[in-house]
Amino acid sequence: MTNEEIKAYFTTVAPSATFDETGEWLNVQVEPGSWKALAQNLRNSILHFDYLFCLTCIDWKTHFSVVYHLSSTTYRHTIVIKANVDVVNPEIETVSNIWRTAEFHEREVYDLFGVKFLHHPDLRRLILTDDFEGYPLRKNFEDPINMIKL
Amino acid sequence: MFSLEGITNAIQNWLYNTFNPSWALVFECLIVILLATGLFAILGLVLVLMERKVAAHIQIRLGPNRVGPGGMFQTVADTLKLIMKEGLTPDLADKFLFNLAPFVVMIVAMLLLAPIAFARGFQIWDLNIGVLYVSAISSLSVIGILMAGWASNNKYSLLGAMRSGAQIVSYELSAGLSVLSIVVLSGSLQLSDIIASQENGWWLFKGHIPVIISFVIFIIAVTAETNRAPFDLAEAESELTAGFHTEYSGMRFALFFLAEYINIFIVCAIGATLFLGGWMPLHIGHWQAFNHIMDYIPSSIWFMGKTFFLIFLIMWFRWTFPRLRVDQLLNLEWKYLLPISMFNLILVTVIAILGWHF
Amino acid sequence: MYTQTEIIKDTTVNGSEGELVINVGPQHPATHGVLHLVITLNGETIKKIEPHLGYIHRSIEKMCESLSYRQFIYVTSRMDYLSSHINNLGSAHCVEKGMQIEIPARAKVIRVLMSELTRIASHELWLGAMAMDLGAFTPFFYAFREREMINDIMEETCGARLTMNYMVPGGVMYDIHPDFQQKVKAFVKQFKEKVTEYDDLVTNNIIFQNRMKGVGILSKEDAVSYGCTGPVARGSGVSCDIRKIFPYEIYDTVAFDEVLETAGDSFARYMVRVREMHQSIRIIEQLIDNIPEGEYQAKTKAVLKLPKGEFYSRVETARGEFGVYIVSEGATTPYRIKFRSPGFSNLSALEHMAKGSKLGDLMATMGTLDLVIPDIDR
């Protein structure tokens, strides 16, 4: 399906979404509050985005944006969803019940960025130790011993 | 013709002529103990080296080749290393059972040596229930393994021991039944009688297809009983690290290791005795000239040749097959081997009664 | 120190009534690397698997934020070290996408040849290691015999056997070794002759088939939902070969089939990988005599500066889809890099696949997932 069709779909289900087509794929900016319902729609609707191939987070210092790369195994179209969350108390609804792969990816983002995924079945640190302090992929993270500055 | 029988008879006569009968018996016992221990040490070294060389050959590599000519002293060096290692006992282990277990396994292996005829007239104890003795004693080794697995206080060990228990108890049955078919044919439980009954041909060739079937079942069952691959679930390296002997180190580990090889030797010796005529040379019916030439080869060489052929067979299995899963292992025994060997035993009995064998 | 009763009562160590908790890893013969699985058993049956990651986490993503666009490519060799060429390729690709560098035709062919050789080498190692998980030691040596030839080829051209660092933005670092073509042809010949040995030893072995068939079943829907890619997903019938659906380099001009199996069990995944090796050989045969003459590297600036924006490139490694996501602010170093590693998503499906099966089945399932731990931890 073309980007125009996907855009047309978004205007019906999420009128607040904004688009950015400068990159390779269509970028859609969504509100974190409405994301869960929208995700459910994207998965089950005619667009059939059944494959979440990348879930990550970017620290823009003023806010975090959680980035979802979605694709469809039937139509082979790809979109990028971005949701901005607050730095002080980053929270967003989990999508782990919609795309199972999100369970691990969200744990990783929680571990390295400290973004809390609400209603996640098992939100614990995945990679770092349980008593680790701080979130290493944040831009303000400092580790005087182990970090190499070039 | 070289014969061990002459040497043993000469020694016995000399002892009985020089000392009174009770002292002669004591000296004989000492000689047997010395020989048995020596045999154990040598067998351990030879079989481990053989295993490594066979494995290397199958796996397109060279195997040990640095210590001594062709790597011959590699296992000696390994043994020295094991002797010098510290034998650790885990803190929370049951110390008494933990230390006892390797000796139980080893003693069982030693006891099994008694009825084996190594050559014509060269046998420690030719008891009249030899086959029964072997089946009875060989099932005792599971106690040692369970002891080791339980006393180590290690979960891998416990799982390994439990698997081993289930496995040995099941495979005893079909091993016993396949041995029985030879007992039925030869009409005796005494190993020397069984060997004598194969003078004009080995049972494997004389007994038609049923004996071949019981030979195959015997080999499968003893591979399982000695915990060798593809039935090495008790050790299952990739699943249970080292199974029941995970916590053992140093000489105690070496005893388990040695007992495994001694057990292989013993079951192969039993197999060679029952199915391949023990020390009996290859005789074919009425071919007098051929039989006569065969008699020139010493009986000890016949015995060792057959035994080592079977050992090679078991090693070949190990380096070719993947491991079975625990439920597949038990299915194989209870659903296939056991019914087949029971039916087979009936066939053999019919053959024996009607005298259809050669 | 604990007393015996305290340990017995600790349910995180021993599980609750009727359960046994065992640790597979971080040091364990079945985990090729430092994966740590905490497994709750009921007898021999698996009730729960909990992966504990991070034993080899180096925070490569953070590290790359302070490395230049030429440097960061080489760190990716240390992730999935068995597909290091393809990882390098994916990273170089992403930079090329951002810089809009046109790659010479010779470099493209060399890149594809190297990728396919890497894929075969990786699958060879997997074959040996997986057979070892099932208790058969011998296939390992047979597989390594062929893998050794590939390593020798790599050594001559790239100077390394494992972490090749051969790809640079704009092409490859050096031209191929003069013996390259002849050695690759010798390898192809030997592979075709000897591959029947794998079939005799492994594929047609009845014990092996019984251990693999119907074990660790992953349905097509679950494979997509868990984000599985590569042979794991293709064993479940999901068409996901990036080389076919989003062709890069010259994959759209060579003839090869996407290998698909529908059973979704361990044996299907096994067959996918074995058949993929044949497809890679097919690609190599088509290209080895047709390496175009010319430059092996495009002219690029000494210091690369990606324009402001986001770039994502996807390549098919031996384990599945490898994605590189670069967020650039126009500086000489990336603002943020995310590596989407195939092993991470494949591992997340492990519990779903192995739950309720026997402990021995876990080894078959884990073996056919082909996990490389540095790839998962990053």
Side-chain angles (χ1 to χ4, degrees):
Chain A
M1 261 181 237
T2 60
N3 284 354
E4 295 309 314
E5 285 171 292
I6 297 170
K7 269 197 216 167
Y9 179 81
F10 267 99
T11 44
T12 58
V13 291
S16 63
T18 51
F19 304 102
D20 171 17
E21 282 184 90
T22 50
E24 188 184 358
W25 297 312
L26 175 69
N27 279 248
V28 187
Q29 189 81 39
V30 299
E31 286 296 315
S34 63
W35 165 232
K36 178 82 175 206
L38 180 62
Q40 197 82 50
N41 272 330
L42 288 176
R43 169 73 182 77
N44 297 329
S45 72
I46 175 89
L47 295 173
H48 200 65
F49 283 106
D50 54 355
Y51 174 36
L52 173 73
F53 64 89
C54 187
L55 193 168
T56 188
C57 181
I58 304 166
D59 181 2
W60 291 110
K61 290 174 184 154
T62 52
H63 60 273
F64 291 136
S65 54
V66 184
V67 185
Y68 302 81
H69 285 76
L70 287 172
S71 182
S72 163
T73 49
T74 23
Y75 305 112
R76 302 284 181 214
H77 51 214
T78 307
I79 55 164
V80 185
I81 307 274
K82 287 179 183 165
N84 288 347
V85 291
D86 188 34
V87 171
V88 186
N89 188 22
E91 278 182 348
I92 191 166
E93 281 286 331
T94 177
V95 289
S96 59
N97 54 338
I98 302 167
W99 297 284
R100 304 290 293 274
T101 182
E103 190 178 328
F104 263 49
H105 277 100
E106 285 178 352
R107 273 180 76 181
E108 192 197 3
V109 170
Y110 169 73
D111 197 351
L112 302 175
F113 283 94
V115 177
K116 285 187 192 67
F117 290 90
L118 304 172
H119 305 109
H120 187 282
D122 187 21
L123 196 65
R124 286 175 296 127
R125 288 216 181 241
L126 178 69
I127 290 167
L128 302 170
T129 50
D130 290 339
D131 54 353
F132 192 89
E133 282 178 21
Y135 300 100
L137 281 188
R138 285 188 184 184
K139 289 286 175 189
N140 60 5
F141 178 80
E142 288 294 336
D143 184 343
I145 302 160
N146 296 317
M147 260 169 75
I148 302 160
K149 287 263 190 226
L150 290 175
Chain B
M1 191 175 79
F2 168 78
S3 162
L4 288 168
E5 200 176 13
I7 301 172
T8 50
N9 284 342
I11 292 173
Q12 193 181 18
N13 287 338
W14 182 79
L15 280 173
Y16 276 89
N17 291 335
T18 324
F19 305 99
N20 67 40
S22 38
W23 275 112
L25 195 66
V26 170
F27 282 123
E28 276 186 352
C29 280
L30 282 177
I31 292 171
V32 165
I33 289 169
L34 213 65
L35 283 178
T37 324
L39 180 76
F40 264 48
I42 292 166
L43 267 184
L45 298 183
V46 170
L47 287 177
V48 173
L49 185 69
M50 177 176 165
E51 171 106 283
R52 294 178 67 174
K53 281 287 185 190
V54 168
H57 182 69
I58 290 174
Q59 297 173 343
I60 46 172
R61 57 193 176 90
L62 288 175
N65 58 357
R66 292 299 159 98
V67 190
M72 268 169 66
F73 302 127
Q74 179 66 49
T75 43
V76 180
D78 284 348
T79 317
L80 276 177
K81 177 202 76 175
L82 282 169
I83 289 171
M84 291 207 244
K85 273 192 159 183
E86 184 187 0
L88 288 170
T89 309
D91 257 347
L92 297 177
D94 185 330
K95 298 214 170 37
F96 175 67
L97 290 181
F98 185 82
N99 293 324
L100 185 64
F103 296 100
V104 171
V105 174
M106 201 65 200
I107 287 167
V108 169
M110 284 189 163
L111 283 174
L112 280 171
L113 212 59
I116 290 172
F118 290 91
R120 192 193 301 271
F122 194 78
Q123 197 173 3
I124 297 174
W125 185 22
D126 186 19
L127 76 171
N128 56 356
I129 48 159
V131 175
L132 186 64
Y133 173 84
V134 169
S135 346
I137 299 291
S138 66
S139 22
L140 286 180
S141 69
V142 70
I143 294 176
I145 290 174
L146 280 175
M147 225 185 237
W150 175 254
S152 302
N153 193 24
N154 176 315
K155 291 164 189 167
Y156 296 131
S157 306
L158 186 63
L159 276 173
M162 285 309 166
R163 283 177 173 190
S164 166
Q167 179 181 336
I168 293 180
V169 168
S170 336
Y171 278 82
E172 274 294 304
L173 293 168
S174 44
L177 285 173
S178 56
V179 167
L180 269 185
S181 62
I182 297 301
V183 173
V184 166
L185 284 170
S186 59
S188 171
L189 284 168
Q190 194 164 359
L191 285 175
S192 58
D193 283 354
I194 290 173
I195 295 167
S197 71
Q198 306 182 61
E199 189 166 4
N200 53 353
W202 304 343
W203 280 123
L204 189 61
F205 304 137
K206 285 203 297 182
H208 302 291
I209 292 167
V211 175
I212 294 174
I213 293 174
S214 43
F215 178 68
V216 171
I217 290 175
F218 179 80
I219 291 291
I220 295 175
V222 296
T223 315
E225 259 191 77
T226 46
N227 285 328
R228 295 277 298 180
F231 306 102
D232 60 343
L233 285 126
E235 287 154 39
E237 190 198 278
S238 60
E239 293 155 39
L240 304 174
T241 57
F244 66 89
H245 57 61
T246 307
E247 296 286 359
Y248 283 88
S249 60
M251 217 42 214
R252 290 198 210 99
F253 164 74
L255 283 181
F256 275 118
F257 199 59
L258 192 59
E260 181 187 330
Y261 284 96
I262 303 294
N263 275 328
I264 295 165
F265 176 80
I266 284 161
V267 294
C268 288
I270 304 283
T273 308
L274 297 176
F275 294 93
L276 302 174
W279 49 260
M280 194 62 83
L282 177 65
H283 286 172
I284 300 176
H286 303 294
W287 295 15
Q288 296 298 344
F290 177 79
N291 294 349
H292 202 63
I293 293 166
M294 286 294 147
D295 282 339
Y296 272 104
I297 302 172
S299 55
S300 49
I301 295 202
W302 276 109
F303 173 77
M304 284 295 171
K306 290 168 193 175
T307 309
F308 274 84
F309 168 71
L310 290 184
I311 292 173
F312 171 73
L313 214 61
I314 285 182
M315 287 180 179
W316 193 357
F317 293 160
R318 171 162 181 184
W319 299 110
T320 309
F321 292 129
R323 183 182 305 120
L324 269 77
R325 202 171 59 214
V326 67
D327 55 325
Q328 291 169 348
L329 177 94
L330 296 178
N331 275 349
L332 175 71
E333 164 64 19
W334 294 99
K335 288 191 183 162
Y336 300 98
L337 292 187
L338 189 63
I340 291 172
S341 51
M342 278 174 157
F343 182 69
N344 195 45
L345 183 62
I346 297 171
L347 271 182
V348 173
T349 318
V350 170
I351 287 175
I353 291 171
L354 299 177
W356 279 351
H357 57 84
F358 296 111
Chain C
M1 210 183 82
Y2 284 115
T3 66
Q4 187 134 20
T5 37
E6 270 169 2
I7 287 186
I8 288 167
K9 280 179 186 161
D10 187 348
T11 49
T12 56
V13 179
N14 277 327
S16 42
E17 190 71 35
E19 286 175 354
L20 186 69
V21 179
I22 66 166
N23 289 283
V24 173
Q27 282 104 14
H28 190 280
T31 58
H32 315 283
V34 281
L35 179 66
H36 181 189
L37 301 173
V38 181
I39 299 174
T40 309
L41 291 176
N42 180 7
E44 286 258 344
T45 312
I46 295 165
K47 286 177 82 176
K48 196 174 151 210
I49 299 175
E50 198 187 316
H52 286 202
L53 304 180
Y55 286 88
I56 195 164
H57 180 66
R58 296 144 291 177
S59 206
I60 281 181
E61 289 171 13
K62 183 85 177 175
M63 214 193 282
C64 288
E65 285 175 15
S66 55
L67 294 175
S68 79
Y69 287 111
R70 283 189 187 281
Q71 290 171 322
F72 92 94
I73 293 171
Y74 308 124
V75 186
T76 58
S77 302
R78 274 81 183 165
M79 288 164 47
D80 181 354
Y81 49 80
L82 295 177
S83 332
S84 48
H85 258 317
I86 313 178
N87 284 2
N88 290 168
L89 174 62
S91 317
H93 231 268
C94 203
V95 176
E96 282 152 12
K97 218 179 226 176
M99 297 291 293
Q100 291 173 338
I101 300 169
E102 194 51 46
I103 313 150
R106 184 176 175 83
K108 280 186 179 175
V109 174
I110 295 174
R111 280 179 169 193
V112 169
L113 274 172
M114 286 298 187
S115 299
E116 293 312 310
L117 283 174
T118 311
R119 195 182 313 280
I120 297 173
S122 170
H123 285 346
E124 296 267 16
L125 187 132
W126 157 81
L127 182 88
M130 185 226 41
M132 211 132 136
D133 284 349
L134 296 182
F137 287 83
T138 307
F140 190 78
F141 292 89
Y142 283 75
F144 262 58
R145 178 184 53 193
E146 267 81 61
R147 186 170 183 271
E148 203 55 30
M149 292 188 83
I150 298 181
N151 277 353
D152 288 344
I153 293 169
M154 295 291 183
E155 193 183 356
E156 271 190 348
T157 296
C158 320
R161 292 163 69 85
L162 198 68
T163 51
M164 271 66 127
N165 305 345
Y166 187 52
M167 309 288 176
V168 291
V172 294
M173 198 178 267
Y174 306 107
D175 206 354
I176 48 172
H177 193 270
D179 287 346
F180 180 78
Q181 277 161 306
Q182 172 227 328
K183 287 217 167 172
V184 170
K185 278 181 206 159
F187 163 72
V188 169
K189 186 162 169 284
Q190 163 155 354
F191 182 87
K192 283 185 156 177
E193 277 167 16
K194 301 285 186 177
V195 79
T196 51
E197 284 182 359
Y198 303 158
D199 291 342
D200 293 343
L201 197 60
V202 186
T203 318
N204 298 333
N205 187 319
I206 185 76
I207 300 178
F208 181 79
Q209 289 192 2
N210 283 337
R211 283 294 302 274
M212 302 288 269
K213 281 188 178 159
V215 168
I217 292 176
L218 183 69
S219 70
K220 192 173 175 177
E221 289 70 33
D222 286 332
V224 175
S225 178
Y226 275 105
C228 294
T229 46
V232 177
R234 288 198 283 282
S236 304
V238 182
S239 162
C240 61
D241 197 331
I242 304 291
R243 294 176 294 170
K244 275 279 179 209
I245 47 182
F246 303 108
Y248 52 97
E249 305 298 2
I250 51 158
Y251 278 114
D252 43 354
T253 61
V254 288
F256 71 101
D257 300 327
E258 180 178 9
V259 181
L260 281 180
E261 295 271 338
T262 48
D265 57 1
S266 295
F267 194 68
R269 293 190 282 276
Y270 168 83
M271 285 314 289
V272 167
R273 288 204 178 85
V274 170
R275 285 169 57 200
E276 251 180 30
M277 285 201 267
H278 290 276
Q279 294 301 328
S280 295
I281 286 285
R282 220 175 120 190
I283 296 173
I284 291 170
E285 279 185 322
Q286 289 171 46
L287 294 178
I288 190 65
D289 283 324
N290 301 317
I291 304 177
E293 294 297 321
E295 288 288 307
Y296 56 85
Q297 201 186 74
K299 292 265 180 295
T300 47
K301 286 188 214 126
V303 178
L304 299 177
K305 268 189 191 174
L306 254 66
K308 193 169 158 47
E310 293 171 10
F311 309 97
Y312 195 103
S313 87
R314 312 163 85 175
V315 287
E316 180 78 16
T317 73
R319 261 147 220 89
E321 177 186 335
F322 176 72
V324 184
Y325 178 46
I326 298 183
V327 179
S328 171
E329 283 282 82
T332 52
T333 56
Y335 185 75
R336 161 115 176 91
I337 280 196
K338 157 83 183 170
F339 295 111
R340 188 262 184 224
S341 61
F344 189 74
S345 302
N346 290 353
L347 173 72
S348 66
L350 178 65
E351 184 177 10
H352 176 75
M353 287 153 83
K355 212 177 193 171
S357 58
K358 297 274 182 291
L359 184 61
D361 287 340
L362 174 70
M363 306 308 154
T365 313
M366 215 157 70
T368 48
L369 279 183
D370 194 11
L371 303 171
V372 168
I373 315 306
D375 181 40
I376 295 166
D377 281 355
R378 279 159 292 148

